[in-house]
Amino acid sequence: MEKDFFGFPLVPINEAEERLKAKATRGIAYFSMEFGLAPSFYNTFKPGAKVSPLNISTGHEVFSNMKDMDYYHLLPVKNLIDLPIYSGGLGVLAGDALKSSADLGLPLAGIGILWHKGYFHQKFWFRSGGQIPEETTWDPDSYPGLIRLKPTVEITLSGQKLILNLWKYYVFSYDRKKVVPLILLDANTDENPEYFRELTDQLYRSTNNWIKIAQRMILGIGGVKALDTLGYSIATYHLNEGHAAFAAVEKREGTFSYTCHTPVEAGHDRFDLQELEAALGKDGTDFIRKYGRDEKHHNLANLTVLALNRSGKANTVSKKHNDVTHLQFPNHKTKIDNVTNGVHTFTWISEPISNLLKKYKEKIGDWEANPKLLLKTEYLKNDPEFRKELWQAHLKNKEHLAKLLKHWFFEKDVFTIAWARRIAIYKRPGLLLEETSHLIDIAKKYGPLQIVIAGKAHPADVPASLHMDQMLEKINFLNGERKYLRICFLENYDTSFARFLTGSVDVWLNNPLPPFEASGTSGMKAIVNGVLQLSTLDGWIVEAADKNIGKIFGYTPKEGEIGQETNLRLKEDSKELYKNLDDLVHLYYGTAEGKISLNESGWIDMMINCISQAGVFNTHRMIEEYNEKIWESSKQP
Ligand SMILES: *Cc1c(COP(=O)(O)O)cnc(C)c1O
């Protein structure tokens, strides 16, 4: 027997397995279509055999307003690729949830899919603007920490046998003493016909409804069977999004809970009942006719409705989202509670900030054992030494950023703002570029601006892709303004860029059109690093709005109103964005240039407020709440 598991201890693995298999255990199964675990920078396993070069990332292209540089330089990021079974925020939340469940020692197992071709690799169409989606190729067999299991499971799809391979990945706690297993299902086996084998190729890239239904059957039905096959004692099946709702068809008597992640109409899965019956069979479809019929269109199955009807408890992901969801699903109001999202502190905190906070543990408390204690960072506000060291830690992070983007002339002493997340219209990715003359005006008044932008548009989201093209074009036009503005659009946004950017810029920009952002989490990754927020009043920000963690601006709908997703209010809101940015840049340069002392600077106050609020917006607090409000109370005795 091996002495270790890819450099990590074996004991916690055996303990977790034994516990999950014990009859008396009331385990939790966490189903999710995607998991973002970011092992390239957190709990990185030691490679076993030789790691395939497919699992190592190569450089990224950059699209900037310094085209000569783009032509000569790739952004050199050479490390293990992050397990490519996620697309964005939803997957990262699921990954962070597993990590905090391990930290808290819960008897929980994750269930997901092994996507052989990942989500997609975003390639810039060099020098002419636009993104080209490419398949991700990677090698699961040599991916550190990922192991093939012997047992397989079988489901019936369109009247035919579909065999699913099982894989396991272990998520360790921050102190490596506890473990949560993640089971991944995989249809790519020789025993299946070709059209079945491709079902677990690409996440969210299904060309037709049959594939979508099949993928959801693999996750929901295959997932339940996998848990039974492995002998895990599961008391609660948790559905992270409606994608996994077919689990309720497989386990009719099971206890379910469900997290809804979006107030956007198109975000709910709906399928024609006849099409569904062809794939799922009559019995399962009759069950869905009873519990999962769309409330408006009776010929459609609605997986959100199915999940709501079959769950003892459901939750939204921010208080604001809870209000909106209650308006959208008035019939289910009583069971829809709220658990505001968080992020996993140890995954997203940068080294300089982590070292600083460790040094001040006596004042803050053991925040590593309990990240909620970060709230106490507040008490260090009057400590001049801490204020100075915090600024220095931040400058260290900025030094890294300046080094990475040195070919684009980034400097550590220049004000830097980032917008990075999925390119979707309601998130208004180009708001900052709406009227770029204002940016130049601000830079002329106080000092130059560095802007980093990153994000993928879903290839089927045509408006988002077009929007991205327009942004690239605008950046291109700013080629002559390099004295004032340095703008870089980084190719292929992923978890490693997310970690890097949320830790190293001065201001994190978040400007969705309220109320369409259910929560948002990237800003939470930024605050734990003392990075200020410039945000509209939506999602989690509403709960931190009175905490002085930056600037809040823009339109908010009247109470009880949802409003129009298409009325983007770009003109009005960009004006407010520039006004607030002006204030921030003014304060930044005043502080950075010593015109305002660190002891007096409101900038440092806000940085400390950010870190302190990271005591609230973390997955440690979130998973404790899930356990108390959702899982414990949904388990039937
Ligand atoms: C955190 C994260 C997101 C989520 O960003 P939001 O601000 O919540 O939209 C998306 N993509 C990646 C790679 C992330 O790490």
Side-chain angles (χ1 to χ4, degrees):
M1 204 165 142
E2 290 168 72
K3 279 196 298 294
D4 64 27
F5 183 82
F6 296 90
F8 279 58
L10 271 177
V11 173
I13 291 181
N14 296 332
E15 282 174 358
E17 289 290 341
E18 268 171 41
R19 186 167 164 213
L20 276 165
K21 285 173 186 162
K23 286 271 172 304
T25 299
R26 305 186 58 71
I28 303 141
Y30 188 100
F31 285 68
S32 183
M33 205 63 151
E34 49 170 316
F35 287 92
L37 289 159
S40 74
F41 55 86
Y42 180 73
N43 273 352
T44 310
F45 286 123
K46 219 169 70 192
K50 204 170 148 26
V51 175
S52 159
L54 294 175
N55 292 342
I56 306 296
S57 89
T58 51
H60 299 244
E61 276 175 6
V62 174
F63 192 104
S64 77
N65 64 336
M66 279 162 272
K67 274 205 159 174
D68 338 337
M69 299 303 124
D70 303 346
Y71 194 75
Y72 291 112
H73 299 285
L74 283 182
L75 204 58
V77 182
K78 278 224 170 8
N79 51 12
L80 180 72
I81 55 165
D82 282 325
L83 204 52
I85 56 169
Y86 73 96
S87 82
L90 178 72
V92 173
L93 183 87
D96 282 1
L98 294 193
K99 289 171 185 174
S100 284
S101 298
D103 293 344
L104 285 158
L106 290 186
L108 182 140
I111 307 289
I113 291 180
L114 186 113
W115 299 104
H116 280 271
K117 294 181 179 173
Y119 176 44
F120 74 92
H121 184 97
Q122 179 189 48
K123 201 76 198 143
F124 282 158
W125 191 242
F126 214 27
R127 292 189 152 230
S128 62
Q131 74 166 13
I132 299 292
E134 292 181 344
E135 288 177 357
T136 302
T137 36
W138 66 293
D139 176 41
D141 280 293
S142 71
Y143 194 92
L146 195 56
I147 44 174
R148 272 180 195 272
L149 303 183
K150 280 208 186 79
T152 57
V153 296
E154 236 181 80
I155 69 172
T156 306
L157 168 62
S158 299
Q160 272 181 283
K161 187 169 80 178
L162 163 62
I163 295 176
L164 296 166
N165 282 333
L166 304 180
W167 298 72
K168 207 177 253 184
Y169 189 84
Y170 285 109
V171 179
F172 275 79
S173 62
Y174 81 99
D175 59 5
R176 304 187 178 192
K177 288 184 178 151
K178 285 164 276 179
V179 150
V180 153
L182 168 62
I183 312 301
L184 298 172
L185 301 134
D186 161 21
N188 188 5
T189 163
D190 295 341
E191 298 153 276
N192 288 329
E194 189 62 25
Y195 50 91
F196 276 5
R197 294 179 57 171
E198 290 169 356
L199 287 172
T200 49
D201 274 357
Q202 266 185 296
L203 171 62
Y204 304 141
R205 294 298 307 284
S206 14
T207 43
N208 64 47
N209 278 336
W210 178 79
I211 298 179
K212 281 188 195 163
I213 293 167
Q215 290 172 334
R216 282 150 183 77
M217 286 174 61
I218 290 173
L219 179 63
I221 299 172
V224 168
K225 291 193 168 187
L227 291 162
D228 287 345
T229 302
L230 296 172
Y232 287 175
S233 300
I234 302 301
T236 302
Y237 296 85
H238 185 78
L239 312 173
N240 186 41
E241 260 306 334
H243 303 138
F246 291 144
V249 177
E250 180 64 20
K251 263 286 183 246
R252 307 265 165 114
E253 304 301 317
T255 298
F256 287 87
S257 56
Y258 159 62
T259 306
C260 178
H261 280 275
T262 182
V264 177
E265 268 292 305
H268 303 283
D269 280 334
R270 292 178 180 87
F271 299 109
D272 182 89
L273 280 163
Q274 261 175 322
E275 260 183 285
L276 184 63
E277 187 163 326
L280 181 66
K282 177 148 185 355
D283 179 54
T285 308
D286 281 344
F287 184 77
I288 290 174
R289 285 192 177 96
K290 191 161 167 203
Y291 294 108
R293 233 184 237 277
D294 193 86
E295 287 164 4
K296 278 191 211 130
H297 307 280
H298 288 273
N299 59 329
L300 295 182
N302 181 326
L303 298 199
T304 301
V305 173
L306 177 65
L308 280 171
N309 278 330
R310 297 309 294 162
S311 295
K313 274 273 179 183
N315 73 287
T316 51
V317 292
S318 74
K319 287 179 183 162
K320 172 91 176 290
H321 178 218
N322 194 259
D323 296 341
V324 176
T325 308
H326 281 187
L327 291 175
Q328 289 175 326
F329 298 97
N331 302 342
H332 300 280
K333 228 165 142 168
T334 48
K335 70 165 78 152
I336 307 177
D337 209 329
N338 179 57
V339 179
T340 301
N341 276 348
V343 296
H344 184 249
T345 308
F346 313 106
T347 299
W348 301 105
I349 197 167
S350 61
E351 221 171 277
I353 299 290
S354 172
N355 289 341
L356 172 69
L357 298 178
K358 277 181 201 164
K359 191 173 155 191
Y360 281 84
K361 240 178 178 176
E362 238 167 73
K363 296 267 172 58
I364 301 169
D366 189 0
W367 60 271
E368 289 184 285
N370 179 6
K372 292 193 290 187
L373 290 172
L374 286 174
L375 270 170
K376 300 209 166 144
T377 314
E378 179 91 32
Y379 302 147
L380 289 162
K381 229 181 226 166
N382 297 322
D383 182 337
E385 196 53 31
F386 179 75
R387 295 176 75 96
K388 196 174 93 199
E389 288 187 72
L390 176 58
W391 182 250
Q392 283 163 350
H394 177 62
L395 285 182
K396 220 178 235 169
N397 279 328
K398 276 188 84 178
E399 239 169 69
H400 287 305
L401 179 80
K403 208 169 136 197
L404 188 81
L405 292 172
K406 66 171 189 273
H407 293 306
W408 290 269
F409 302 105
F410 269 50
E411 292 170 87
K412 96 169 189 298
D413 298 317
V414 172
F415 177 90
T416 309
I417 184 167
W419 186 101
R421 53 179 59 75
R422 178 162 61 93
I423 306 272
I425 296 293
Y426 81 88
K427 289 176 184 264
R428 302 190 292 189
L431 195 66
L432 184 64
L433 302 175
E434 185 65 20
E435 241 179 283
T436 50
S437 63
H438 289 295
L439 295 174
I440 296 164
D441 291 344
I442 294 171
K444 281 183 178 165
K445 266 199 277 184
Y446 310 114
L449 310 183
Q450 293 172 162
I451 299 172
V452 188
I453 301 170
K456 297 174 174 178
H458 188 286
D461 188 346
V462 175
S465 298
L466 286 174
H467 190 84
M468 200 178 137
D469 294 353
Q470 286 169 0
M471 288 169 72
L472 294 172
E473 208 161 288
K474 279 192 182 171
I475 294 169
N476 195 21
F477 272 122
L478 291 165
N479 199 41
E481 304 291 350
R482 284 144 48 167
K483 191 172 153 211
Y484 304 109
L485 299 179
R486 286 153 222 169
I487 310 183
C488 285
F489 200 136
L490 312 182
E491 174 190 87
N492 204 41
Y493 186 53
D494 61 4
T495 35
S496 74
F497 272 148
R499 165 89 174 326
F500 193 75
L501 294 176
T502 54
S504 65
V505 299
D506 297 303
V507 172
W508 193 254
L509 176 63
N510 174 53
N511 45 225
L513 176 74
F516 296 104
E517 189 67 272
S519 165
T521 51
S522 59
M524 301 176 187
K525 302 166 188 166
I527 57 172
V528 72
N529 291 301
V531 169
L532 308 197
Q533 305 295 301
L534 176 54
S535 179
T536 50
L537 191 62
D538 205 7
W540 73 278
I541 290 284
V542 177
E543 287 158 66
D546 60 348
K547 300 295 190 288
N548 191 24
I549 57 170
K551 292 256 174 196
I552 292 171
F553 69 96
Y555 162 82
T556 44
K558 282 198 211 91
E559 221 179 283
E561 267 179 27
I562 298 179
Q564 280 285 330
E565 231 175 288
T566 44
N567 185 3
L568 289 168
R569 300 168 194 272
L570 298 177
K571 276 269 164 306
E572 312 92 284
D573 277 7
S574 65
K575 274 215 172 65
E576 281 207 41
L577 166 54
Y578 296 128
K579 192 163 92 336
N580 285 280
L581 183 64
D582 187 298
D583 292 344
L584 283 174
V585 176
H586 188 189
L587 182 58
Y588 169 83
Y589 276 114
T591 307
E593 289 167 357
K595 285 176 238 157
I596 313 168
S597 77
L598 294 180
N599 283 341
E600 310 269 294
S601 173
W603 188 279
I604 307 291
D605 289 339
M606 289 193 278
M607 284 181 78
I608 295 174
N609 293 338
C610 282
I611 295 177
S612 156
Q613 283 304 298
V616 177
F617 299 99
N618 59 68
T619 41
H620 191 94
R621 184 268 314 151
M622 180 188 92
I623 289 294
E624 279 182 347
E625 277 188 42
Y626 267 99
N627 203 35
E628 286 158 20
K629 299 211 286 205
I630 308 297
W631 297 332
E632 279 305 328
S633 57
S634 68
K635 285 178 191 173
Q636 279 138 19

